[in-house]
Amino acid sequence: MAMVGEMWSHLGSTMGTLMLVYTVFKQFFPHHLQGSFEKYFNRIVRYAYPYVEITFDEFTGERMKRSEAYSRIKSYLSDKSTASAKRLKADVVKDSQSAVLSMDYNEEIAEEFQRVKIWWSAKRTLSKTPRIAIYPTDDEKKSYKLTVHKRHRELITQSYISHVMKEGKEIETRNRQRKLYSNNPSQDWDGYRSNKWSNVLFEHPATFDTLAMDAKLKEEIKNDLIKFSKGKDYYARIGKAWKRGYLFYGPPGTGKSSMIAAMANLLNYDVYDLEPTAVKENTELRRLSLDTSSKSIIVIEDIDCSIDLTGQREKKTEKDGNEDEHSDPVTKRVKDKKKKNSKVTLSGLLNCIDGLWSSCGGERIIVFTTNYVEKLDPALIRRGRMDKHIELSYCCFDAFKVFAKNYLEVDSHSLFGEIESLLGETNMTPADVAENLMPKSDYDDVETCLKRLVEALKDTKEEAKKKVEDEARLMAEKEEEEKQRKKPEKEEKEQSGKDVKEVKENGVAKVGEEVKEIGVTH
Ligand SMILES: Nc1ncnc2c1ncn2[C@@H]1O[C@H](COP(=O)(O)OP(=O)(O)OP(=O)(O)O)[C@@H](O)[C@H]1O
Ligand SMILES: [Mg+2]
């Protein structure tokens, strides 16, 4: 460690002499007096030591939150250490092209700021008790230490640290690798450390240009997002937490997940894919949300399947049951099973969202997706929690044109007119349109792909027509059956009505006759 030597040389002759005195005295001092000697010697060293040391730990606040200062220093030093440190760590790989380097633990580097020498060292302390763990544990502590001469204390606290933070942030933004986080099942968590979320690089290619949807709605969402991301001062001024909630609803395959990816790519945010069924308790949900970074999108997909949204959710109506069958029964069944093990409740989720907004300063977006918006509790999606409700629906002509441009590189074609009128007459999801338009071999040209779509649209239209006719026929048959079932009843009723009438009429006559007879007798 050359840097250590360099720093010691700065301590000058005072420390050198002290060290010599320490070695000599330690040899000749009686053993039983060595404890007191060391105590006094340390005091002298502390007095004579002319340096200030500042430590930046990786975690702050009862180890709940990762320190922003630590990560900025890490980025700042990664730039410096590439040139001067001898042992480096390759940490993140930017676009799978280049490694981002930082200095290794117990390595030191020095730099000059306004002609003042500053030393940095990276430290990692591990627990002395050996244990086997897959994830980093509470026993591992990482920190950076800054050392500078006492007389420059003011320069450090007043300008150097803010210079490091500013540059670190810039480097962080430049090297930023977006990540896709998924929550680990809560039984796998280890203390308060970072293994609540696992992450992979976020490399989804969807953008607003590749999203096929109504052009006006697309523009509206884009503008809303851009305005939000620039709104730091605005939100501070109006006294609102810097957050925005989106609810995307619509049938399967209409682009809800693709929209989230496009949002993350537009804003350069991380994505936290939160699966509430893997969370056992409300408190754990809260801890998870607190462990998210700023500039992130927290997503709960299929919210209606992930959480017992209302007390009545388990009592499904016949209609609900049929709907669930249509949308991926395997996933739904797995989720249902997991849901039974999770005690996360609607109020827990609401508290978590509200708490997240009040305790985290940075910009965050939360997104829920669902196929059945009508199943959601109004409290969950009220404005203020879910600010924008966006329906993603069947493919319209605008959306088709985006696909045609992206998939086949055409803006117009003689078949466009027919496709436009067919899209107006039938419902096809963007996912199905995309699948039909995609060339299936090297021989598939634009014409082939468009014709395939026309045929598929005609088939869908025919199927829909047949379905309506079948339903109408079924309904008519049911009505007829009902009529037939009621006919004998009606006839019976009519017959019994007649009998009553006759009985009544005959009864009166008889009585009259009887009266007559009686009268005659008398
Ligand atoms: N609006 C769209 N624009 C572009 N591609 C789309 C769109 N909708 C669907 N797709 C295509 O269809 C596939 C499925 O879409 P996606 O996963 O976004 O649907 P979803 O609405 O999230 O469905 P689910 O409700 O089942 O989760 C995507 O891979 C994408 O290629
Ligand atoms: Mg989806």
Side-chain angles (χ1 to χ4, degrees), residues 423-486:
L423 283 172
E425 291 160 12
T426 190
N427 288 336
M428 187 180 266
T429 62
D432 286 337
V433 172
E435 181 54 29
N436 282 299
L437 276 186
M438 200 141 82
K440 302 289 181 299
S441 78
D442 288 346
Y443 308 106
D444 277 5
D445 57 7
V446 174
E447 180 103 3
T448 323
C449 297
L450 290 175
K451 275 188 178 157
R452 185 168 48 227
L453 177 63
V454 169
E455 286 313 308
L457 281 166
K458 282 182 182 165
D459 288 349
T460 315
K461 189 178 154 189
E462 204 50 45
E463 267 171 36
K465 200 173 135 199
K466 205 164 154 276
K467 202 173 160 197
V468 171
E469 283 170 3
D470 284 351
E471 272 172 10
R473 206 188 53 244
L474 223 75
M475 190 80 97
E477 279 172 12
K478 249 189 185 170
E479 268 174 25
E480 186 55 39
E481 236 174 62
E482 192 75 356
K483 231 194 249 167
Q484 291 301 327
R485 199 175 54 80
K486 282 184 179 162

Side-chain angles (χ1 to χ4, degrees), residues 256-257 301 369:
K256 297 178 291 298
S257 305
E301 291 254 31
T369 73

Side-chain angles (χ1 to χ4, degrees), residues 204 206-207 210-213 249-260 301-302 327-328 332 369-371 392-393 395 399 402-403 406-407 429-432 434-435:
H204 200 297
T207 63
T210 65
L211 263 189
M213 61 187 290
Y249 64 95
T254 48
K256 297 178 291 298
S257 305
S258 312
M259 169 70 87
I260 297 166
E301 291 254 31
D302 295 322
S327 50
D328 192 1
K332 303 264 140 101
T369 73
T370 181
N371 295 137
L392 292 167
S393 193
C395 193
V402 176
F403 280 133
N406 289 335
Y407 283 47
T429 62
D432 286 337
E435 181 54 29

Side-chain angles (χ1 to χ4, degrees), residues 222-236:
K222 231 168 112 177
N223 289 338
D224 190 76
L225 288 167
I226 291 169
K227 182 125 186 71
F228 167 76
S229 68
K230 291 182 185 164
K232 185 176 184 180
D233 296 339
Y234 174 74
Y235 278 84

Side-chain angles (χ1 to χ4, degrees), residues 40-287:
Y40 286 109
F41 183 79
N42 282 342
R43 254 192 219 171
I44 297 166
V45 169
R46 233 175 288 142
Y47 179 74
Y49 186 66
Y51 291 92
V52 188
E53 291 175 349
I54 306 172
T55 304
F56 299 87
D57 285 323
E58 187 186 11
F59 282 90
T60 58
E62 299 287 322
R63 308 187 73 70
M64 288 274 271
K65 272 177 93 173
R66 196 180 286 272
S67 151
E68 214 160 74
Y70 178 90
S71 59
R72 288 197 189 165
I73 293 168
K74 187 175 175 185
S75 308
Y76 177 79
L77 293 180
S78 73
D79 250 27
K80 308 280 164 198
S81 46
T82 313
S84 54
K86 295 234 168 69
R87 287 181 303 123
L88 296 161
K89 266 188 311 140
D91 257 345
V92 202
V93 177
K94 173 86 175 162
D95 299 332
S96 312
Q97 297 293 316
S98 58
V100 175
L101 302 170
S102 60
M103 64 178 171
D104 206 352
Y105 302 117
N106 301 325
E107 182 71 5
E108 298 200 12
I109 58 161
E111 73 155 333
E112 267 192 23
F113 178 72
Q114 296 181 8
R115 275 179 289 156
V116 170
K117 194 125 191 171
I118 294 150
W119 290 269
W120 280 103
S121 61
K123 221 173 143 194
R124 177 172 60 166
T125 14
L126 291 165
S127 154
K128 291 198 177 70
T129 28
R131 51 180 287 184
I132 300 163
I134 300 165
Y135 300 105
T137 67
D138 270 346
D139 310 331
E140 186 196 78
K141 290 191 174 83
K142 289 191 244 170
S143 60
Y144 284 110
K145 193 173 79 184
L146 179 161
T147 310
V148 71
H149 199 283
K150 266 185 207 167
R151 64 173 173 269
H152 303 302
R153 184 194 286 263
E154 277 195 4
L155 174 82
I156 296 301
T157 51
Q158 284 172 10
S159 45
Y160 178 68
I161 291 179
S162 54
H163 156 82
V164 172
M165 295 298 136
K166 191 167 159 270
E167 281 220 352
K169 190 178 178 191
E170 273 166 27
I171 298 162
E172 236 172 31
T173 318
R174 219 168 43 232
N175 290 338
R176 194 170 148 83
Q177 274 295 98
R178 260 159 330 106
K179 306 241 177 88
L180 170 65
Y181 294 86
S182 320
N183 54 313
N184 294 322
S186 20
Q187 63 265 26
D188 295 350
W189 294 5
D190 193 359
Y192 280 98
R193 292 307 298 259
S194 51
N195 62 334
K196 294 185 198 70
W197 297 96
S198 310
N199 66 70
V200 291
L201 288 186
F202 180 81
E203 291 176 316
H204 200 297
T207 63
F208 273 87
D209 291 335
T210 65
L211 263 189
M213 61 187 290
D214 177 70
K216 237 175 96 188
L217 179 61
K218 191 198 284 197
E219 208 48 35
E220 186 190 316
I221 300 171
K222 231 168 112 177
N223 289 338
D224 190 76
L225 288 167
I226 291 169
K227 182 125 186 71
F228 167 76
S229 68
K230 291 182 185 164
K232 185 176 184 180
D233 296 339
Y234 174 74
Y235 278 84
R237 188 159 56 78
I238 61 169
K240 264 184 102 167
W242 192 12
K243 58 93 194 174
R244 197 132 178 89
Y246 286 84
L247 169 73
F248 295 134
Y249 64 95
T254 48
K256 297 178 291 298
S257 305
S258 312
M259 169 70 87
I260 297 166
M263 285 164 70
N265 284 331
L266 176 78
L267 299 175
N268 206 13
Y269 281 11
D270 290 324
V271 176
Y272 286 85
D273 186 6
L274 178 60
E275 177 52 82
T277 55
V279 185
K280 268 211 219 121
E281 310 252 339
N282 291 333
T283 46
E284 289 172 359
L285 188 67
R286 206 173 158 73
R287 276 164 61 188

